[in-house]
Amino acid sequence: MPKLAAVTKRVLVGRPFRTDRLSHTLLPKRIALPVFASDPMSSVAYAPEEILVMLSIAGASAYVYSPWIGLFVALVMVAVVASYRQNVRVYTSGGGDYEVATTNHGPRWGKVVASALLVDYVLTVAVSIASAAANIGSAVPFVASYKVEFAVGAIVILTAMNLRGVRESGTAFAIPSYAFVGGVLLMIVTGVIRVLAGDAPQAESAGFELVGEDEHLVGFGFAFLILRAFSSGSAALTGVEAICNGVPAFRKPKGRNAANTLLMMGVLAITMFLGLLLLAMITGAKVAEHPETQLVDAPEGYEQKTLIAQLANGVFSGFEPAAWYVIFFTGLILILAANTAFNGFPVLGSILAQERYLPRQLHTRGDRLAFSNGILFLSGFAIILVVAFDAEVTRLIQLYIVGVFMSFVISQSGMVRHWNRLLRTETDPAARARMRRSQVINAFGFSMTAVVLVVVLVTKFTQGAWISLAAMAAIYALMTAIRRHYDRVAAELREMELNTPTSTLPSRNHVIVLVSKLHLPTRRALAYARATRPDVIEAVTVNVDDADTRALVASWEHEDFSVPLKVIESPYREITKPVLDYVKRVRTDSPRDVVTVYIPEYVVGRWWEQLLHNQSALRLKGRLLFQPGVMVTSVPWQLASSERVRDRDEAAPGAVRRGLSEEDKR
């Protein structure tokens, strides 16, 4: 790696960790809560607002239904949290919903869940970061003007933090996560106290008249609007599944610690979600999908603030630092909420790669024991979404939660089957009673999430959910194709192993040393080739310039090498094709021989030097590798510039993953 790139990597990522330090990266519950549960806890910053935005289509009178919608969302969250507490106790390997579905429903359903979760993780990053840009933009107009650029920058910073490793990023995220929870709870308590004291706070939009886009919705149309509001509010449930995928990162006992973290997350998220809806009613806050036309009496040039910003300014009126505190940490936690996906996506990707559904590079840990390739893939796709949808939360949220509820439904039905399977063989009455209780909890979770999934599909399909479904189908097809390829390669190797006796050796080794000019790299290649004691050895050069070729032949005869030099004519001055044709002729004349081609190469220390050397060698190697019965050997010659790389105190690529000591690396 070039020195500048190596230094940059160490500054951003840090020094590599040995594999045996993996146990030191495991998380206690106090750190695991902000790392894995920041998404569902922070979703209260936009889920209540999205409920009100949807209801605003029918006008301010529809806001009366927001508490009931909120209560039903909270009920679903109770069901999901209770159900997943059963999951994490049983399946602790980190496979989460994918493992549950694969084990109990089969590989096909496992791939459905995996594709749904991968899409949902990408959307979690995009929605969280876009919402952070909107909240911070409510207080800082500059951010509102450049929210796409802000969102992309935030994703890049978050990527760098996660590449440093899970424990370090978890510690960095703990303080703002707890600061956000404390600020929101303090705001809710303060607002309630002010109401009890007869000094009810008011939001800045309380005096505006909210005009609905269609105030005459009745019957089916109004019911459909209520369902749309409920499906948007259900975004508060996203992120619960990340704890299931992150169980291996918990300290022992992993299952119990993960279950307790889920419980803490559920209590905090439900309390904040319902509390913010209550404050919205108390303060009279209004948020509209199109504020420029729906908010009557608003001053000219009025910029609608987020619900959190309006509530903070209303509750803490007269004490601006407290309002700024809530707005600041809301924006910060929304940025960090994407960390839930940064911990879930790479782990799931690693498991899928291990199962040969994704490229194997996703299974490898990086220098800091994080799944670096998965982190980079996630950030890349999230940036594409943010740019494509202009970092608009309302547009992005239409694509959201389809995947997560699909995984909820399949996972909970899988857990019901899991308990059925165990109950068929269990005879102990106490154990059967515990299993029955867990089965009832999972069945309740299945029924609730199934209802929500149907509602989401019906209300959001034409609004953008079809994009998520199309992406899931594409990922499913890709995983199927990758697995089919790996299986085909494995079958091909097995068949060849059965049909080719292991004791069969080639009749002879025919060595070809490629020569361009008679210099030290060529002499080394000749010496090494002769040291292998081949049956046949010859040097080959391609005549692309008559004068140079005659000079080479004269020098060769003068040196009186014992290795014959063969000149291949090339009337069109090509190098690669004449060599390939000659190697093929050798193979055709002696099919049982193996042909070994030695290619001298320069080893350079600067990236631009590589552009000036070895280009013909690279093309030849690339083509010769496809020739059966042909081995290619590179013979290196280190130029002086290579010493700057050789002498650098740098771990060898992959040394950390292989657990090499410092002495081994040298």
Side-chain angles (χ1 to χ4, degrees), residues 635-649:
V635 182
W637 182 268
Q638 292 81 9
L639 296 179
S641 64
S642 66
E643 294 180 3
R644 61 198 298 273
V645 177
R646 183 183 62 205
D647 296 338
R648 188 185 306 147
D649 184 19

Side-chain angles (χ1 to χ4, degrees), residues 131-149:
S131 183
N135 276 276
I136 296 177
S138 295
V140 184
F142 176 80
V143 173
S145 301
Y146 297 95
K147 60 183 177 182
V148 174
E149 292 80 359

Side-chain angles (χ1 to χ4, degrees), residues 441-480:
I441 293 173
N442 287 124
F444 178 63
F446 165 73
S447 60
M448 296 297 292
T449 53
V451 170
V452 177
L453 177 61
V454 172
V455 171
V456 169
L457 289 174
V458 170
T459 59
K460 290 185 177 291
F461 184 81
T462 58
Q463 304 297 318
W466 66 269
I467 300 175
S468 295
L469 293 174
M472 293 173 205
I475 293 174
Y476 182 95
L478 179 64
M479 289 194 295
T480 302

